[in-house]
Amino acid sequence: QEAHNYISINGKDYRPKVKINSVQENSVVYQLAIPELRISIHMKYELAGNSLLMEIFEIRERGDLKVKTIGFSKNYLVSVKHSQRGGALSTSEVVFDFAEKDIYRTNLNHKDNFYILANKQVDPCYLPAGIAILNTDRLVASIDNNVLQNLKQFRYQTSESEGEKYTGIWNGDWIYRGLDNEIIALPWARVVLGADMNKDRTVDWQDGAIVLRNIMPEIEGAEKIRTSFFHLSMLSGSMTQYTFLRWLDYLKKIHLHTDGFGQIFQIKGYQSEGHDSAHPDYGNNFNRRAGGLNDLNTLFQGAQKYNADICLHINHSESYPEARTYSPEIVSDIPAWKWWDQSFFIIRETDILNGT
């Protein structure tokens, strides 16, 4: 396979000078120096059982440039040749369909893709994924990391070299510093291998999901999901299809019908005139037609008696001109949704730095 010996700093690739600092039985420590930036990165690869940990444990910045993002361009942590028996790639990703110019007709599809590598064509560029699993008929490999970009934690690509096609997976870019220039976390990634984990005499993505689950921390709220059902209600267009107190009565009825089974209830339209109106007025513009802040608080307090958690739908994609917080400082000139008046996409970086 073709070697890609580059590191990406703040979106630009550099070829580092690599030095091995130490070698142990199950680990090796590297120093990556980028002289033109006066930056050195110290990282370790460590093998333990069926997993390989890659972690950066120190970043030294001796010049003016501060590291904001870090990536390893096409540095495959796992790859499979298409000639290997049973080769397959399984991904979970988001696919945008921009066939229509109208945003209402733009499809945002969460998809699970399953590729038989023997039939997979070469990719002209890498593709992002939230989960990526590679397997042959004997082994399966999954990866976990602390990349922050949701649904873009991993990248995959099918390439060809010397007549041999292969598919590889590597990490997305880590955000090392936030917009406030504070350090978020040092990057790490873990590759885990498995075989026929579910004993069905076949090695596939399901076995990869099992080994991935075994190394991932429990997701906050997972237990609540397992012991509750989710439902929602929507207010729209100033019509007050429900009031906050009517929702509370609805939660009580379901509580009695289901012998107290858990509920997760989302409200769309708690603010202003209903769903997606007056965003981003998140906490200062409550739907008075549905009962206002007092009745909304009554709903929150009463829901606790019925084993129900209340969720509020907010929208941080765009801003609507009727919003009290509408400001030319945070909105772009790119049109967004138009439930009522035409909204415009928010410049999120400016919004964050303004503290709004």
Side-chain angles (χ1 to χ4, degrees):
Q1 298 178 8
E2 184 181 356
H4 295 271
N5 302 316
Y6 292 91
I7 183 170
S8 174
I9 301 294
N10 299 349
K12 184 177 179 180
D13 284 350
Y14 298 89
R15 192 180 185 96
K17 294 182 177 180
V18 181
K19 175 184 175 183
I20 298 177
N21 282 351
S22 68
V23 178
Q24 303 295 327
E25 182 180 1
N26 296 319
S27 66
V28 58
V29 174
Y30 295 96
Q31 176 181 318
L32 283 64
I34 309 172
E36 59 265 47
L37 301 182
R38 299 187 67 193
I39 288 173
S40 63
I41 295 173
H42 301 257
M43 60 188 303
K44 178 173 69 172
Y45 284 81
E46 184 172 16
L47 184 64
N50 65 330
S51 69
L52 174 68
L53 174 66
M54 183 210 80
E55 62 175 343
I56 294 175
F57 60 86
E58 185 179 11
I59 298 175
R60 298 177 184 174
E61 302 159 316
R62 297 185 174 88
D64 295 332
L65 185 107
K66 299 300 180 183
V67 176
K68 295 187 176 181
T69 64
I70 304 173
F72 294 91
S73 305
K74 293 189 72 172
N75 189 279
Y76 297 156
L77 290 180
V78 181
S79 64
V80 171
K81 293 181 179 180
H82 289 201
S83 58
Q84 292 180 260
R85 290 182 54 184
L89 168 70
S90 305
T91 66
S92 179
E93 56 194 270
V94 171
V95 178
F96 292 89
D97 181 5
F98 291 108
E100 299 285 348
K101 293 183 179 179
D102 188 340
I103 190 170
Y104 280 105
R105 298 179 182 271
T106 298
N107 294 318
L108 175 61
N109 298 316
H110 295 257
K111 293 184 65 177
D112 292 334
N113 290 323
F114 303 95
Y115 301 99
I116 303 300
L117 294 188
N119 303 327
K120 192 175 185 309
Q121 301 301 311
V122 171
D123 296 314
C125 60
Y126 76 79
L127 295 167
I131 298 175
I133 299 171
L134 274 171
N135 69 273
T136 66
D137 63 343
R138 298 180 62 187
L139 288 175
V140 64
S142 298
I143 310 177
D144 189 21
N145 62 29
N146 64 336
V147 170
L148 292 178
Q149 286 186 290
N150 188 34
L151 302 173
K152 297 181 180 179
Q153 293 94 323
F154 307 101
R155 296 170 179 176
Y156 69 91
Q157 186 172 1
T158 295
S159 303
E160 187 170 8
S161 177
E162 297 181 353
E164 177 81 66
K165 286 196 295 184
Y166 57 93
T167 295
I169 302 172
W170 69 100
N171 297 295
D173 286 355
W174 285 272
I175 300 175
Y176 176 62
R177 271 192 174 85
L179 292 171
D180 57 1
N181 284 322
E182 294 294 322
I183 293 172
I184 297 173
L186 287 164
W188 62 264
R190 188 185 299 272
V191 181
V192 60
L193 299 178
D196 183 12
M197 305 301 296
N198 58 5
K199 307 301 180 185
D200 66 350
R201 300 182 181 181
T202 301
V203 176
D204 57 19
W205 68 268
Q206 297 182 36
D207 304 297
I210 292 171
V211 294
L212 179 60
R213 181 189 62 193
N214 290 343
I215 65 169
M216 287 181 64
E218 176 105 345
I219 297 173
E220 184 176 353
E223 181 60 33
K224 175 68 70 172
I225 295 296
R226 288 193 286 265
T227 57
S228 308
F229 74 92
F230 181 89
H231 53 139
L232 63 84
S233 190
M234 181 168 170
L235 296 174
S236 181
S238 305
M239 291 188 287
T240 319
Q241 292 87 346
Y242 290 82
T243 64
F244 298 141
L245 296 185
R246 185 181 174 190
W247 275 330
L248 180 59
D249 185 60
Y250 178 58
L251 297 178
K252 179 180 179 180
K253 290 177 181 177
I254 292 182
H255 177 78
L256 295 174
H257 277 297
T258 61
D259 294 330
F261 194 73
Q263 301 180 60
I264 299 175
F265 183 63
Q266 184 185 79
I267 302 173
K268 288 192 172 188
Y270 77 94
Q271 84 296 336
S272 188
E273 297 298 321
H275 177 61
D276 271 4
S277 67
H279 281 317
D281 289 354
Y282 302 131
N284 65 348
N285 191 353
F286 299 97
N287 192 327
R288 59 184 177 84
R289 302 177 194 277
L293 179 58
N294 287 336
D295 284 1
L296 182 61
N297 283 332
T298 300
L299 169 61
F300 271 93
Q301 294 162 4
Q304 299 176 31
K305 297 187 296 184
Y306 306 128
N307 195 19
D309 287 331
I310 307 297
C311 312
L312 298 180
H313 170 274
I314 68 170
N315 193 335
H316 194 241
S317 296
E318 68 269 0
S319 183
Y320 290 81
E322 72 270 17
R324 297 169 182 172
T325 49
Y326 187 88
S327 167
E329 292 183 1
I330 66 169
V331 299
S332 68
D333 58 357
I334 303 174
W337 296 91
K338 50 183 179 181
W339 282 91
W340 317 118
D341 293 332
Q342 177 67 61
S343 67
F344 295 88
F345 281 115
I346 288 175
I347 305 171
R348 295 178 178 177
E349 293 81 3
T350 303
D351 191 33
I352 292 170
L353 291 174
N354 284 350
T356 52

